[in-house]
C-alpha cells in the first residue's frame, strides 16, 4: 500500500510541477484540488491512512503548496540555464535598483518583477541570451527595455529577463549614430536601437541633416518607436517613423542576428516595423535623413466649431506648404499654455469657460535663414489658399531643435512640481475619418469635457494614409478612406484622482465606440484576451501569427505585450 501510494503521489507531483511551466496559477490550483481529491479517495480505501497522512501526505502537500504559491516558479531553471559569463557579478543585475527600474514604466499602472536584468555591453551578449532561452528546455521571456516609456507593462518580463538596451551606450564599439550618404543618392544615419531620438537629432544636426518623421516626445529609443509606429504632426507629409527606415539589424526569437530591408529578408523587415517587439529586438536601424531647416514658424489657431476645425486640419495636410499639423482640446480647466502671452491666455481661457470646449489647430512651417525676410508673406499666401475659418490665430518663431524638443520643457516643469512620476492611464486611438464627428460628440464632448476628470493633454488630428505601408504589422482603420484620425487621451492620475477612475472612463469610451459601430484601433495597444488581439489586427492577424511562428516560435520575446501569452 505504501509503495503504491508513494508512486501515485510522485506522479501527481510530476504532473503539477509540469503544469507550473506552462499553465496559469489558476489552472494549477484547480488541477491540484482535483489531484488531492483523487488522492484522498485512494487513501480512504485503506486502513492505514492515518500513518500515511502523518508521515508522508502532510509534508508532500506542503511542498506542493509552496511550489504553487512561489512567485517565481522558473527562477531556478533560468539561473541554471544562463551562460556562465552572464552572471550577477557582471552583466546580469538583480540588485534592488535595477530590478525596481525593470519592473516599472512611465505608466506606473503595472509592476512585474523579472528574474534579472541584462546590462549588455555588446549585441552579441543579447544574442547569447536569446539563444540560451531558445535552446532551453524551459524557455524564459525576454523583453528589450528602452527608456521605459510604455504605460501598461509592455516592456516587462515577469520571471524572465529584461534587457536594458541603454547599457549598449557604455560600449565604445557600439552602433551609436553614424551619418552617411550624399546629395545624389540620399543621406541616412545608422542608429543603434538603444539610442534616444533627441540624441539622433543632435548628432545629425551637426551635419546639417535631420530625420523627417518624429514623435512629440524625443526621449524615446529608436527601437521602441519603430516597434510601434512613431507618429507626430509630420506623419501626414512623410509617413510615420516606420516608413522612413531603410534597413535594420534584428535579433529574432531564435537568437539569429539578421540584417533585413525591403529587398533582403523582407518578411522580417515588415513584420518588425510596428510589430510590438514580437519578432525581434532591433539593434540597428538605418534612418532616412534630409537637409535640416534652421527655424520654424509655429501656429496655433483656436476654434469653437469642430467641423471647421477638422476641415481646416484636413486642408492643411492635403496641400503643400506646412510641415507639421496636429490639434488638441482646450477645456475650461485646461492649464495655461506657455505658447500664448498672458493676455492671449486670458482671452482663450474665458472663451473656454463660456463654450466648455475649444479646439486648437497646431501647424508648423519650416524655413531657413535665407528666406527670413519673406517667410511671413509666403505663409499669408498659404493660409489664404486653404481658407482658414478661424479669426484667433497666434504665431511664434523657434529654432527647429527647440520646436521638436518642446515637450522636454513641460517635462522639466512637471518634474519640479512632482507631477511627472505619476500614473498615466493613457488611451491612444486611431479613429476612422467617416466617424470622427460621432466620436467628438460621444467621447470628447459627452465624456471628456462633461466629466473633466483631468486636464489631459488631449490630442486629435488627421493623418494621410498614403504614408503607411500595409505590409507593416501596425494596425490602422480598415477602410478605404485616404485619411484617419489619431486621438491621444493622455491622462495623468495622482493624489487627486485614482488611475482606476480614469481607466473606468477609458472603458466607457471603448464601449461607446463598440456600441456606436466606430471601428477604432488602439495605438500603443493594450488587450488582455487573444480574441481582442485578433480583432485588433483584423485582416493582418493571420500573417502576424505566421511571422510569430516563424521568427519566435517559442514565444520568448516581449511577453509584456500579452499577445500570445494572454
Amino acid at each position: 500500500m505504501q509503495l503504491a501510494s508513494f508512486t501515485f503521489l510522485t506522479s501527481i507531483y510530476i504532473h503539477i510541477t509540469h503544469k507550473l511551466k506552462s499553465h496559469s496559477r489558476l489552472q494549477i490550483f484547480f488541477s491540484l484540488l482535483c489531484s488531492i481529491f483523487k488522492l484522498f479517495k485512494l487513501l480512504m480505501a485503506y486502513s492505514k491512512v492515518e500513518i500515511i497522512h502523518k508521515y508522508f501526505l502532510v509534508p508532500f502537500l506542503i511542498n506542493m503548496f509552496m511550489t504553487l504559491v512561489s512567485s517565481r516558479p522558473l527562477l531556478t531553471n533560468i539561473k541554471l540555464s544562463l551562460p556562465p559569463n552572464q552572471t550577477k557579478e557582471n552583466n546580469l543585475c538583480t540588485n534592488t535598483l535595477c530590478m525596481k527600474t525593470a519592473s516599472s514604466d512611465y505608466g506606473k499602472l503595472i509592476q512585474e518583477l523579472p528574474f534579472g536584468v541584462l546590462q549588455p555591453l555588446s549585441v552579441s551578449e543579447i544574442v547569447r541570451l536569446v539563444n540560451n532561452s531558445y535552446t532551453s528546455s524551459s524557455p524564459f521571456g525576454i523583453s528589450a527595455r528602452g527608456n521605459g516609456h510604455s504605460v501598461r507593462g509592455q516592456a516587462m518580463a515577469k520571471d524572465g529577463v529584461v534587457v536594458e538596451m541603454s547599457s549598449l551606450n557604455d560600449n565604445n564599439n557600439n552602433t551609436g549614430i553614424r551619418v552617411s550618404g550624399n546629395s545624389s543618392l540620399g543621406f541616412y544615419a545608422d542608429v543603434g536601437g538603444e539610442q534616444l531620438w533627441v540624441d539622433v537629432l543632435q548628432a545629425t544636426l551637426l551635419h546639417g541633416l535631420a530625420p523627417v518623421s518624429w514623435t512629440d516626445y524625443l526621449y524615446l529609443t529608436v527601437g521602441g518607436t519603430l516597434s510601434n509606429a512613431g507618429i507626430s504632426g509630420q506623419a501626414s507629409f512623410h509617413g510615420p517613423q516606420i516608413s522612413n527606415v531603410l534597413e535594420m539589424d534584428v535579433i529574432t526569437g531564435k537568437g539569429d542576428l539578421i540584417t533585413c530591408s525591403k529587398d533582403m529578408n523582407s518578411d522580417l523587415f515588415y513584420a518588425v516595423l510596428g510589430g510590438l517587439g514580437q519578432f525581434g529586438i532591433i539593434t540597428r536601424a538605418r534612418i532616412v535623413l534630409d537637409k535640416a531647416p534652421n527655424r520654424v514658424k509655429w501656429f496655433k489657431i483656436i476654434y469653437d466649431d469642430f467641423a471647421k476645425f477638422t476641415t481646416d486640419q484636413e486642408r492643411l495636410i492635403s496641400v503643400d506648404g506646412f510641415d507639421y499639423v496636429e490639434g488638441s482640446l482646450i477645456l475650461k480647466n485646461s492649464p495655461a499654455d506657455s505658447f500664448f502671452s498672458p493676455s492671449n491666455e486670458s482671452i482663450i481661457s474665458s472663451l473656454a469657460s463660456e463654450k466648455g470646449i475649444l479646439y486648437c489647430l497646431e501647424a508648423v512651417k519650416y524655413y531657413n535663414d535665407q528666406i527670413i525676410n519673406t517667410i511671413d508673406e509666403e505663409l499669408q499666401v498659404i493660409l489664404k489658399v486653404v481658407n482658414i475659418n478661424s479669426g484667433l490665430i497666434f504665431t511664434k518663431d523657434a529654432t527647429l531643435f527647440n520646436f521638436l524638443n518642446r515637450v522636454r520643457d513641460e517635462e522639466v516643469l512637471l518634474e519640479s512640481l512632482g507631477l511627472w512620476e505619476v500614473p498615466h492611464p493613457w488611451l491612444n486611438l486611431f479613429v476612422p475619418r467617416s466617424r470622427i464627428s460621432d466620436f467628438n460628440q460621444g467621447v470628447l464632448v459627452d465624456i471628456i469635457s462633461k466629466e473633466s476628470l483631468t486636464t489631459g493633454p488631449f490630442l486629435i488630428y488627421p493623418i494621410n494614409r498614403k504614408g503607411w505601408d500595409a505590409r507593416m504589422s501596425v494596425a490602422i482603420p480598415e477602410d478605404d478612406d485616404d485619411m484617419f484620425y489619431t486621438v491621444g487621451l493622455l491622462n495623468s492620475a495622482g493624489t487627486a484622482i485614482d488611475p482606476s477612475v480614469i481607466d473606468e472612463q477609458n472603458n466607457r469610451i471603448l464601449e461607446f465606440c463598440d456600441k456606436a459601430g466606430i471601428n477604432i484601433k488602439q495605438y500603443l495597444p493594450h488587450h488582455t484576451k487573444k480574441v481582442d488581439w485578433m480583432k485588433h489586427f483584423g485582416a493582418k492577424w493571420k500573417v502576424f501569427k505566421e511571422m510569430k511562428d516563424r521568427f519566435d516560435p517559442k514565444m520568448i520575446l516581449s511577453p509584456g505585450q500579452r499577445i500570445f501569452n494572454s
Side-chain angles (χ1 to χ4, degrees), residues 233-238 296-301 312-313 315-326 361-367 375-376 378-388 393-395 464:
Q234 298 91 353
S236 282
F237 308 100
H238 301 285
V296 306
K297 281 290 184 181
W298 192 354
F299 287 77
K300 289 195 175 183
I301 308 172
D312 284 353
Q313 282 185 315
R315 284 173 177 168
L316 289 180
I317 68 170
S318 300
V319 299
D320 293 331
F322 282 89
D323 300 284
Y324 163 102
V325 173
E326 283 197 11
L361 187 157
E362 188 174 13
V364 165
K365 170 69 176 175
Y366 296 162
Y367 73 98
I375 183 62
D376 289 330
E378 289 185 25
L379 286 170
Q380 290 304 316
V381 172
I382 295 171
L383 292 173
K384 186 176 182 180
V385 168
V386 297
N387 190 28
I388 291 296
I393 302 178
F394 306 92
T395 62
N464 282 320

Side-chain angles (χ1 to χ4, degrees), residues 85-105:
N85 65 331
Q86 293 174 353
T87 63
K88 182 177 179 180
E89 285 72 29
N90 48 55
N91 295 329
L92 188 63
C93 178
T94 57
N95 68 43
T96 302
L97 180 59
C98 67
M99 294 289 277
K100 180 181 178 181
T101 300
S103 63
S104 182
D105 60 19

Side-chain angles (χ1 to χ4, degrees), residues 14-26:
I14 294 171
H15 174 69
I16 294 298
T17 53
H18 172 74
K19 283 183 174 292
L20 280 169
K21 298 179 181 180
S22 58
H23 289 68
S24 71
R25 286 187 172 82
L26 183 61

Side-chain angles (χ1 to χ4, degrees), residues 343-446:
S343 59
N344 288 334
E345 179 66 40
S346 179
I347 294 171
I348 296 168
S349 178
S350 177
L351 186 59
S353 296
E354 176 189 344
K355 300 291 185 178
I357 183 170
L358 299 175
Y359 306 94
C360 176
L361 187 157
E362 188 174 13
V364 165
K365 170 69 176 175
Y366 296 162
Y367 73 98
N368 292 309
D369 291 336
Q370 295 91 318
I371 62 168
I372 193 169
N373 295 323
T374 61
I375 183 62
D376 289 330
E377 295 177 10
E378 289 185 25
L379 286 170
Q380 290 304 316
V381 172
I382 295 171
L383 292 173
K384 186 176 182 180
V385 168
V386 297
N387 190 28
I388 291 296
N389 285 299
S390 175
L392 289 175
I393 302 178
F394 306 92
T395 62
K396 184 177 181 179
D397 197 272
T399 65
L400 176 70
F401 181 85
N402 286 343
F403 164 68
L404 292 175
N405 198 38
R406 61 197 178 279
V407 178
R408 176 61 176 167
D409 293 335
E410 298 176 23
E411 177 184 11
V412 171
L413 174 61
L414 292 172
E415 281 181 335
S416 69
L417 298 173
L419 299 175
W420 185 257
E421 296 293 332
V422 298
H424 295 91
W426 286 4
L427 180 62
N428 291 273
L429 304 173
F430 291 143
V431 182
R433 178 193 190 186
S434 61
R435 303 301 304 277
I436 196 62
S437 293
D438 298 326
F439 184 90
N440 171 63
Q441 185 60 50
V443 175
L444 303 183
V445 175
D446 291 342

Side-chain angles (χ1 to χ4, degrees), residues 53 77 84 190 194 260 381 416 428 460 546:
H53 179 274
N77 289 338
D190 283 305
E194 76 285 350
C260 56
V381 172
S416 69
N428 291 273
I460 175 169
E546 289 174 354

